[in-house]
């Protein structure tokens, strides 16, 4: 007969959900990528990236020109050589560089929100895989109990048959039920192994790593529906991303408007400059000097490019505002659906606990009567199946309620704060 459980002789210590999440935060490759993308977004938040710092270059060049129309032979050819350190800075461009910096800051905050949203989703996936494995362990244990009960029944039927107290049909019936329970145990073992590999993958470990989890569940106090909704609008990463996208579009519009203003720039240089007759590249016999220039550039017409860019920025902002409204409605629906699903799952769990107590009591009494020969095989089998199913149902209900609780925490923006 099959053993009750497929666990190895020396099993790993039970892994708590908190330990599993901590391991995922350290080893999960998707979390590592999310954090690196957050670092990129933060690195981009710099005044130099927005054009608010001067630009310094070393410039060296030589130019040769012929002047065939010159009346002086010495002026027919000339060579200009320069070697300078030049600094340039935009004094004013319609505040475009300031809006660029504000957009970069907003983009950095958006990157943090996106990374948080991705990490929260992976934590939810880890939690789901953890409780799926815990449920699979409970299902396997229930299947193992069914195997043991059927094995005892088959053994008793054979003994009764040897003493002439049972016919061959009773033995065959017990044998069929024992085989069916063995098949169910094998299927439960396969589901447990698959669930174990799925969890290991999310934890960044080898899929074949031995992994055991706890099966006890403690429920936390959950806020009211209205409190959850208020917390979700303040803390839901997915909704905050939609709001931040609106802010990004506003900066895009301000940047587009800045193109209607003049641009004022200053340039200063320090170095050597020499102009010589004929072809004579070199900087000999020159003294370093300072040069400076102030320029104003105002675009009068560029084929309506600035106008079109401004119009498109307005439309993009309108789209972002529409999407934010949609995100608010979706979030409100998610909170309501998940909250009432959680409440319903807790109620189902209470019913399953009552059913479990009744099934255990019914099986004990039926078993006693079966040993005394006062109930049929069919009645005993029915009591056995009811008990096994009650154990499976209560495990599934318990872990489903816990997964919904974690979803509520994510919607409220408290999932990472609790870890």
């Amino acid at each position: 007969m099959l053993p009750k459980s497929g666990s190895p002789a020396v099993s790993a210590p039970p892994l708590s959900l908190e330990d599993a999440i901590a391991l995922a935060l350290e080893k999960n490759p998707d979390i590592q990528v999310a954090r690196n993308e957050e670092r990129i977004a933060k690195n981009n938040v710099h005044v130099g990236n927005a054009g608010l710092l001067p630009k310094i270059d070393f410039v060296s060049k030589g130019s040769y020109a012929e002047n065939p129309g010159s009346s002086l032979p010495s002026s027919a050819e000339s060579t200009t050589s320069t070697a300078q350190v030049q600094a340039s800075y935009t004094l004013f461009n319609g505040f475009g560089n300031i809006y660029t910096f504000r957009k970069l800051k907003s983009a950095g905050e958006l990157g943090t929100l996106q990374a948080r949203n991705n990490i929260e989703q992976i934590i939810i996936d880890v939690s789901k895989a953890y409780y799926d494995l815990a449920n699979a362990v409970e299902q396997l244990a229930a299947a193992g109990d069914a195997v043991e009960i059927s094995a005892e029944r088959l053994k008793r039927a054979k003994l009764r048959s040897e003493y002439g107290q049972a016919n061959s049909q009773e033995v065959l019936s017990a044998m069929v039920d024992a085989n069916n329970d063995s098949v169910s145990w094998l299927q439960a073992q396969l589901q447990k192994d698959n669930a174990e590999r799925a969890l290991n993958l999310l934890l960044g470990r080898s899929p074949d790593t031995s992994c055991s989890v706890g099966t006890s569940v403690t429920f936390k106090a959950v806020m009211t529906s209205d409190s959850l909704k208020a917390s979700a609008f303040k803390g839901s990463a997915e909704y905050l991303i939609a709001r931040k996208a609106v802010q990004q579009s506003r900066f895009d519009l301000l940047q587009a408007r800045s193109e209607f203003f003049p641009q004022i720039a200053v340039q200063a240089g320090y170095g050597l400059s020499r102009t010589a007759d004929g072809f004579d590249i070199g900087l000999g016999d020159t003294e370093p000097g300072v040069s400076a220039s102030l320029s104003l550039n105002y675009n009068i017409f560029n084929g309506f490019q600035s106008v079109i860019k401004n119009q498109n920025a307005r439309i993009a902002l309108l789209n972002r505002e529409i999407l934010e409204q949609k995100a608010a409605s979706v979030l409100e629906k998610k909170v309501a659906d998940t909250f009432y699903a959680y409440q319903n799952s807790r109620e189902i769990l209470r019913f399953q606990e009552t059913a479990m107590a009744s099934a255990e009591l019914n099986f004990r009494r039926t078993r006693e009567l079966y040993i005394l020969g006062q109930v049929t095989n069919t009645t005993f089998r029915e009591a056995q199946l009811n008990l096994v199913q009650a154990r499976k149902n209560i495990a599934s209900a318990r872990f489903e309620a816990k997964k919904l609780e974690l979803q509520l925490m994510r919607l409220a923006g408290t999932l990472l704060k609790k870890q």
Side-chain angles (χ1 to χ4, degrees):
M1 191 62 61
L2 293 170
K4 180 178 179 180
S5 173
S7 302
V10 180
S11 60
L15 186 71
S16 67
L17 177 62
E18 290 73 17
D19 292 338
I21 291 175
L23 191 58
L25 290 173
E26 179 183 359
K27 299 292 185 181
N28 184 279
D30 292 326
I31 289 181
Q32 293 174 354
V33 170
R35 284 177 169 166
N36 286 336
E37 290 177 347
E38 180 184 10
R39 290 175 58 191
I40 291 173
K42 288 183 177 180
N43 284 340
N44 287 330
V45 184
H46 195 279
V47 290
N49 220 14
L52 288 170
L53 294 180
K55 181 182 178 183
I56 301 176
D57 299 298
F58 174 76
V59 180
S60 177
K61 65 179 180 179
S63 60
Y64 169 76
E66 291 185 359
N67 303 306
S70 177
S71 60
L72 299 176
S74 61
S75 301
E77 298 178 347
S78 64
T79 304
T80 301
S81 303
T82 59
Q84 288 185 333
V85 175
Q86 293 182 350
S88 58
Y89 184 70
T90 301
L91 295 175
F92 180 77
N93 65 346
F95 304 107
N97 47 8
I98 295 176
Y99 296 138
T100 299
F101 180 64
R102 291 179 180 176
K103 182 181 177 182
L104 288 173
K105 289 180 65 177
S106 177
E109 295 168 356
L110 178 61
T112 299
L113 286 172
Q114 289 172 334
R116 178 187 142 198
N117 189 50
N118 293 336
I119 292 172
E120 284 180 347
Q121 182 57 55
I122 295 167
I123 289 176
I124 289 294
D125 292 341
V126 169
S127 302
K128 180 179 181 299
Y130 182 92
Y131 288 121
D132 283 347
L133 176 55
N135 186 39
V137 170
E138 292 286 276
Q139 303 295 320
L140 181 61
D145 289 341
V147 169
E148 288 189 353
I149 294 171
S150 294
E152 181 185 353
R153 174 188 162 200
L154 177 59
K155 180 180 178 181
R156 187 177 300 277
K158 288 180 178 180
L159 288 174
R160 292 175 63 184
S161 177
E162 290 177 2
Y163 289 101
Q165 297 177 351
N167 55 32
S168 59
Q169 184 179 1
E170 182 178 343
V171 176
L172 289 175
S173 177
M175 188 176 296
V176 168
D177 291 339
N179 288 336
N180 288 336
D181 290 339
S182 297
V183 170
S184 297
W185 183 91
L186 288 173
Q187 292 173 339
Q189 178 66 52
L190 178 62
Q191 292 176 355
K192 182 258 184 186
D193 292 341
N194 290 341
E196 188 173 336
R197 283 188 287 268
L199 177 60
N200 279 326
L201 184 64
L202 288 170
L203 299 184
R205 306 194 299 188
S206 170
D208 295 328
T209 303
S210 178
C211 180
S212 61
V213 297
T215 57
S216 61
V217 167
T218 302
F219 292 100
K220 303 179 185 295
V222 177
M223 294 183 285
T224 63
S225 179
D226 291 338
S227 298
L228 274 170
K229 187 187 301 183
S231 181
F233 279 107
K234 292 180 181 179
S236 171
E238 193 170 4
Y239 174 68
L240 293 178
I241 287 173
R243 289 185 58 184
K244 189 62 65 174
V246 173
Q247 188 181 59
Q248 290 282 95
S249 291
R250 289 199 180 104
F251 288 131
D252 286 336
L253 178 59
L254 291 172
Q255 285 178 315
R257 288 177 177 174
S258 69
E259 295 188 6
F260 294 106
F261 291 85
Q263 295 185 8
I264 302 175
V266 64
Q267 186 180 73
Y270 178 80
L272 303 174
S273 179
R274 174 176 176 267
T275 301
D277 294 334
F279 184 76
D280 183 12
I281 297 178
L283 295 170
D285 299 327
T286 57
E287 294 292 334
V290 177
S291 62
S293 64
L294 179 68
S295 63
L296 183 147
N297 180 29
Y298 182 72
N299 177 260
I300 297 176
F301 180 74
N302 64 352
F304 302 105
Q305 293 180 19
S306 297
V307 174
I308 294 172
K309 185 176 181 180
N310 184 70
Q311 291 174 343
N312 289 341
R314 284 179 177 274
I315 297 172
L317 175 58
L318 177 61
N319 284 341
R320 290 296 184 183
E321 289 173 343
I322 293 172
L323 290 175
E324 181 192 4
Q325 294 173 0
K326 177 185 176 182
S329 299
V330 170
L331 177 62
E332 191 171 354
K333 179 181 181 298
K334 281 185 178 179
V335 170
D337 289 349
T338 309
F339 177 77
Y340 289 114
Y342 174 74
Q343 296 284 63
N344 189 60
S345 68
R346 292 296 303 272
E347 193 67 23
I348 290 174
L349 179 57
R350 282 190 284 271
F351 279 116
Q352 295 294 355
E353 289 171 346
T354 302
M356 178 68 183
S358 299
E360 286 181 335
L361 179 60
N362 179 60
F363 177 75
R364 285 198 300 269
R365 292 179 177 177
T366 305
R367 189 175 189 175
E368 293 172 356
L369 295 174
Y370 176 75
I371 293 174
L372 297 175
Q374 296 179 7
V375 297
T376 64
N377 291 329
T378 302
T379 303
F380 178 79
R381 179 62 175 177
E382 183 179 354
Q384 177 191 0
L385 292 177
N386 287 339
L387 175 63
V388 172
Q389 192 61 47
R391 289 179 178 175
K392 291 181 178 181
N393 289 342
I394 196 172
S396 297
R398 183 168 64 246
F399 298 126
E400 183 62 27
K402 188 62 181 178
K403 286 188 283 187
L404 287 170
E405 179 188 280
L406 293 171
Q407 287 284 4
L408 284 175
M409 292 171 61
R410 184 192 181 188
L411 288 171
T414 60
L415 182 62
L416 286 175
K417 295 178 184 179
K418 298 295 183 181
Q419 306 305 327

